[in-house]
Amino acid sequence: MKKIVILGGGYGGVLTAKKLAKKFKNDKDVEIKLIDRNPYHTLLTELHEVSANRAPEDSIKIDLKKIFAGLKVDVVLDEISNIDFKNKKLKSDKATYAYDYLVIGTGSKPTFFGIPGAEENTFSFWSYDDAVALKRQIRDMYTKAAKEKNPATRRAMLTFVIIGAGFTGVELVGEMAEQREELCKEFFIDPSEVRLVVADMAPKILPILPDKLIQKAEARLRKLKVEIVTGAKITEVGEGSVALGEKNIVDAQTIVWTAGVEGSEIVGNLDVQQQGRKRIVTNEHLESVDHKNVYVVGDNIFFIPEGEERPVPQMVENAEQAAPVIAGNITADIKGTPKKAYKPGFHGTMVSIGSRYGVANVGLPGKFFMLTGFMAMLSKHFINMFYLSQVVGFNKVWTYMMHEFFHVENRKSFVGGYFSKRSPNFWLVPLRMLLGGMWLYEGIEKIRKIWVDPNKIFLIPAAPYADATSAASQAVDAVKTTVDAQSAASAVSTAKEAVSALPVPGFIYDISNWFMDLMFYNPDGSYTFLAKWFQIGMVCAEIVFGVMLIVGLFTAISAIATIGMAVMIWTTKMAATEMLWYVGAAIACIGGSGTVFSLDYYVLPWLKKQWKRIPLVRRWYLYTD
């Protein structure tokens, strides 16, 4: 039995474990174990959204048990205190874990560069707990300031200083700037009283971006009334104040530290070669240069690729690209095949400044493009959803879309509030029932004709090459049923109007004719037996879906099905203008109309529970929470 242990449930650890589980899913001689002190994986790149109350707290957590449901990975909740490389064992206060192959992915922690008071008097910002604590601190300061009478104390309460103007600091201050208006309105505070400062010892913010994008980011921050302090030597952080240079003392009761990271505490204490703020030196296979069969993933890697001058960056994409290499090399070790070298090709970086604006430098290695505003935010969301699709598939991608696009308050989305749910769903109930009633009525009217003569075809137009008499007769039958009887001449006129009412592009009509010629017409232009059963099926579908819409059973499916029927009728040039009403109403009823006064209210929750119990569904995350 080969024992593989992944230490750390961060980006690199989770992806490595998933890749290994896939490679060894049918191998009973391999055991995979992932150890982390938390029962969840944290989306560290989204911490700022929680701190500024744009996204719910649980949106940045993913249950590790859910991630590895149905996979060959044993999740262990424990905090490792020591690694015995000689005997190949990991030790905690309560257990010892043996390994044959170890993957270290414990991530990073904030580094304070020895600045007096920095660790003791600032809020760190590198974990789920940090984000939640800061969220409460921000609201607490507004709450207390609203009641504070002393002007100096009130100013300090409403001053927020973020130390560090890299990606994390800029994203956080941008989010807080957007939240300022909401909180000021809630607590009756003049927005001009709230001071937001982002400071850095570097000469400019976001130093790894091109100057053009840096200027765009600075302009956006200033538009949000954020003070930018660069080239400021942080000499001391006191209790309620910070020195941004020798003469610039800022009184603030909320000081957040985002100025840099170093290797986690356990990595710092390991007997391994380290460089660059406690990162483990690896060879080209991402294996520790000191210990065989010990691999390193994510932020813990210190490796300079061939032809490069700097080590791989501490960013999510590094973990994403390193994970399959490590999984492949462990597999190669076990099977005795050649290992592969790590040759990363990064696709750029992106930073959001609030919910609706961002800057990005993305593309292919050697060919990057600068994006701002909408396109930059689009790239960020695409990248996030791509990562989530690898981790928990549809389940988390759906959740992400909900809290980023559809369940967003105050128009805090890069598409504004256009896709947000903004009205109670019960207002759609009358429309849903009217739509269902109209389809039911149409179906009942047609079923009477079928009952009289099942062989009479009136829902399929005559073949273009049928004789004129037959075509005229069938044109009359193609007219939609009306309440009052009509003369044959009037019916033919109505049929012509219906044909010309909604135009159909030529290529679509040609495709429709080709299909009908294949399925419904004989060489002489008469109808095949399939035409009769298709007509019966369409009429039954109108009745069934009409009833389902009325009672609210599988409402979304029923609404989509009626759109499909309308499209089929339209492609044959038999759709009257009123068909536009049917389609419009069906689109409106797809989302939410079945959540109130309907059978879906009872049926869907029950089906959801049964669905989630299916192993294949859980294995591929084909469900919503």
Side-chain angles (χ1 to χ4, degrees), residues 572-585:
T572 62
K573 293 188 177 181
M574 295 176 63
T577 53
E578 69 181 38
M579 191 61 73
L580 293 174
W581 179 91
Y582 281 70
V583 174

Side-chain angles (χ1 to χ4, degrees), residues 435-476:
L435 176 65
M438 293 299 291
W439 277 110
L440 177 61
Y441 172 79
E442 292 290 342
I444 291 174
E445 287 296 303
K446 293 182 179 71
I447 202 72
R448 290 175 182 172
K449 287 187 175 184
I450 294 177
W451 188 266
V452 173
D453 186 359
N455 295 313
K456 192 172 186 179
I457 306 299
F458 54 88
L459 281 182
I460 303 173
Y465 43 84
D467 61 84
T469 303
S470 175
S473 174
Q474 294 185 50
V476 173

